[in-house]
Amino acid sequence: MIEATAETASYWEALRHGRLTALQCVHCGRVQPTPRAICRCGASEMRQIDLPSEAELVSYTVASYAPPDLPYLPSPYTIGIFSFPALQHQVMALVDASAGPAAIGDALSFSPFRSGDVVLPQFATRPAVQSQDRGSHDRFHA
Amino acid sequence: MTTRTAIVGAALADIGVPGLPGPTSALALAAQASHRALADAGLRLADVDGLLCCGFGETSTYELADYLGLDELAFVDGTCTGGSSWVTYVEHAMAALEAGLCRVALIAHGSLAYTDRKRHLPIWPDPRSPINQFDQSLGGTFVTAHALAAQRYIFDYGLEPEALAEVAVATRRWAALNPLARFRTPLTVEEVRASRPISTPLNLLDCCLISDGGGAVVLMRADEAADTRKPVSVLGVGSSQGAFSMAGKADLTRTPALESGKRAFVMAGLDRSAVDHLMLYDSFTITPVLAMEDLGFAPRGQATRLIAEGVTSPGGRLPMNTNGGGLAFAHTGMYGVFTLIEAVTQLRGEAGERQVPCSVSLAHGVGDFLTSTGTCILGRKP
């Protein structure tokens, strides 16, 4: 299970409120691959930015079996790499392909995955709606 | 180049069929392989003053040195770069031998991956680590990482999953010639595609075995190896490491082999055309495909075509994974040492029915999420 740290707590807290964020270095402008206190340029002043609501699907896979230590994940589940080209930033996220098959190069909409207390980054193949209204994994299958 | 380091011994532990009676711990398998590799070289355990190993917990340098009774080691290396570790150890052992830090370096591996397959032992146990927070929590596993690369690869080059299945088919042809291989019956592309889906586009038969087993190799300076049974020259080595998470890779179909391969060939002073045998890590069918292209043995997008044409199969001009590979011989979770052992076996002319004409062999390991690579070019001693 996820254990946030002082470096990552703001990311997970924002995600719980339906926002996908990243930390950006105030000094050099780099969007950090994952939340961290020290930028690769050495600076330590970060701002939290909201990422665009749409991202490009770089690749995806439908995994038949969820790892046994992740009971909140359905089987099968779909996971992908998403790109924000303007920010030179990529993230790993779940894929909600219930509205149609995902295809590499598609623009997908941010739509966080919720299962009990667990909230994870996810993009969907149809326009996002209010996150609190979205179901969890019943519509998650590819 | 002037050959300065030699592999003087190489051996497998008991391996192959699950459930074999025999060693019942990873340490026992590593120890069994170590004794066999030393015997192969004509050396004794007391000769060893350098130890290089790692493992999923049990086979640390501390544990294995204790188990073997090596208590006056001059050089110890517990670097863990996943499955590439053992090939990378050749580079580290070469440096240590040339620096005079040790005289006999033992590289050892043992694993109970098959026996432990349902224990789900965490590889990175701290849930605070970025890889656990941002990859593993989403189900980002070794399997999905390679599947993400495979999906992107077939998209980029307009291929179908059948192209990857050709890798499993070709590898099985070699396994048929190796009595120690786990699966030896012929395989068809249709059978690979009919096997159950694991992580698209990879089906079960696109994935490596899960095996118990072990292996070891022993290295010495070439100028001190004259009395060993049949030394093999280390011509060039290189290692490299890239982004850990798949999300950190600018191109999912490029691996650190670009760098480790370049380093190994520069050190060897050889062109790709000098290599006549390949041992490329095959955790999944996509893995050796990317390695073939990154190492310069196939143009971009063409590796699966060459494999389908039989170039890497028995009788082909570039035999690859002649032991049956991780796809059909054995895969202990971290397979790197087996690429070295088969390369040595082929260079010595001791591969039996699967022997190929071979004077230069390339062994290549890949670690974790296509994160690390080690490349080693070996030559038959003139």
Side-chain angles (χ1 to χ4, degrees):
Chain A
M1 299 295 276
I2 299 158
E3 184 175 334
T5 66
E7 286 183 306
T8 65
S10 64
Y11 168 90
W12 292 111
E13 181 61 21
L15 194 64
R16 270 191 288 279
H17 290 91
R19 296 166 51 211
L20 183 63
T21 64
L23 294 182
Q24 184 174 34
C25 175
V26 171
H27 179 69
C28 73
R30 178 191 292 272
V31 177
Q32 306 302 312
T34 55
R36 65 198 62 193
I38 310 293
C39 179
R40 291 175 184 177
C41 77
S44 58
E45 191 178 351
M46 301 282 181
R47 70 168 73 89
Q48 188 171 18
I49 62 169
D50 286 281
L51 293 171
S53 60
E54 285 198 341
E56 179 186 323
L57 185 60
V58 175
S59 189
Y60 70 95
T61 180
V62 182
S64 299
Y65 309 102
D69 57 341
L70 304 178
Y72 50 81
L73 275 188
S75 293
Y77 65 101
T78 307
I79 191 168
I81 302 294
F82 292 88
S83 174
F84 302 92
L87 298 171
Q88 295 184 299
H89 184 57
Q90 291 190 152
V91 298
M92 185 178 287
L94 297 171
V95 183
D96 175 357
S98 57
I104 289 174
D106 285 356
L108 272 66
S109 299
F110 176 63
S111 170
F113 169 85
R114 295 176 186 274
S115 177
D117 293 335
V118 175
V119 187
L120 297 170
Q122 176 178 265
F123 286 82
T125 53
R126 61 182 176 185
V129 296
Q130 288 299 311
S131 57
Q132 58 266 37
D133 294 336
R134 294 188 64 83
S136 54
H137 51 260
D138 55 332
R139 295 187 297 101
F140 181 61
H141 299 257
Chain B
M1 67 164 285
T2 304
T3 298
R4 296 164 298 194
T5 306
I7 294 181
V8 298
L12 297 168
D14 289 348
I15 198 161
V17 180
L20 274 178
T24 53
S25 74
L27 285 167
L29 288 160
Q32 184 187 55
S34 298
H35 283 284
R36 289 177 179 176
L38 288 162
D40 177 57
L43 298 168
R44 297 172 304 127
L45 195 60
D47 296 318
V48 174
D49 58 356
L51 176 65
L52 306 93
C53 72
C54 68
F56 297 132
E58 192 185 25
T59 47
S60 67
T61 55
Y62 290 152
E63 295 282 11
L64 186 58
D66 268 0
Y67 199 96
L68 291 170
L70 297 170
D71 54 6
E72 293 182 359
L73 289 167
F75 177 74
V76 174
D77 182 358
T79 301
C80 189
T81 55
S84 70
S85 303
W86 286 265
V87 183
T88 295
Y89 289 150
V90 175
E91 179 187 61
H92 297 190
M94 169 187 273
L97 290 163
E98 291 192 9
L101 301 180
C102 63
R103 289 189 66 241
V104 176
L106 169 65
I107 296 174
H109 167 65
S111 165
L112 284 185
Y114 179 80
T115 299
D116 287 347
R117 67 195 183 284
K118 292 183 178 171
R119 293 187 66 185
H120 308 299
L121 299 171
I123 295 166
W124 301 287
D126 190 332
R128 297 170 299 181
S129 64
I131 202 71
N132 278 325
Q133 287 194 60
F134 298 99
D135 288 52
Q136 304 260 290
S137 69
L138 304 171
T141 65
F142 295 131
V143 181
T144 62
H146 289 79
L148 288 165
Q151 193 85 279
R152 184 72 203 196
Y153 182 86
I154 62 175
F155 173 82
D156 283 349
Y157 298 110
L159 302 172
E160 298 295 331
E162 282 74 7
L164 296 173
E166 295 281 3
V167 179
V169 171
T171 309
R172 188 67 73 90
R173 293 188 185 114
W174 284 113
L177 304 177
N178 182 0
L180 292 178
R182 175 74 178 90
F183 291 124
R184 302 184 64 198
T185 54
L187 189 64
T188 66
V189 167
E190 292 71 27
E191 286 171 318
V192 177
R193 293 315 303 158
S195 63
R196 62 185 164 89
I198 298 297
S199 190
T200 57
L202 304 177
N203 286 359
L204 181 67
L205 294 175
D206 287 291
C207 303
C208 68
L209 308 176
I210 301 173
S211 315
D212 296 343
V217 297
V218 183
L219 288 94
M220 295 179 70
R221 284 177 57 104
D223 57 5
E224 295 185 352
D227 293 338
T228 59
R229 184 178 72 84
K230 209 166 188 177
V232 164
S233 301
V234 180
L235 303 178
V237 286
S239 65
S240 192
Q241 181 173 302
F244 194 15
S245 169
M246 294 301 284
K249 299 183 197 302
D251 184 335
L252 299 182
T253 66
R254 300 289 193 274
T255 75
L258 289 164
E259 188 62 29
S260 64
K262 184 169 65 182
R263 289 172 187 270
F265 277 104
V266 167
M267 185 185 291
L270 293 174
D271 186 73
R272 273 65 177 171
S273 61
V275 176
D276 42 27
H277 176 241
L278 292 177
M279 287 302 301
L280 304 185
Y281 202 95
D282 59 341
S283 44
F284 301 91
T285 48
I286 185 66
T287 320
V289 168
L290 299 182
M292 274 185 80
E293 296 182 5
D294 285 345
L295 293 170
F297 292 101
R300 289 283 164 207
Q302 297 297 312
T304 58
R305 179 182 61 79
L306 295 177
I307 292 166
E309 289 173 359
V311 166
T312 64
S313 290
R317 65 173 168 78
L318 192 56
M320 179 171 81
N321 294 346
T322 49
N323 61 347
L327 293 169
F329 163 64
H331 196 297
T332 54
M334 295 197 281
Y335 171 82
V337 75
F338 303 108
T339 66
L340 295 169
I341 293 168
E342 176 67 6
V344 169
T345 304
Q346 289 285 351
L347 288 166
R348 285 171 160 177
E350 297 174 348
E353 196 180 352
R354 67 182 190 281
Q355 181 66 50
V356 298
C358 180
S359 58
V360 177
S361 175
L362 183 145
H364 179 72
V366 180
D368 295 306
F369 309 107
L370 298 163
T371 306
S372 63
T373 55
T375 308
C376 179
I377 303 169
L378 299 170
R380 194 170 53 205
K381 190 172 171 59

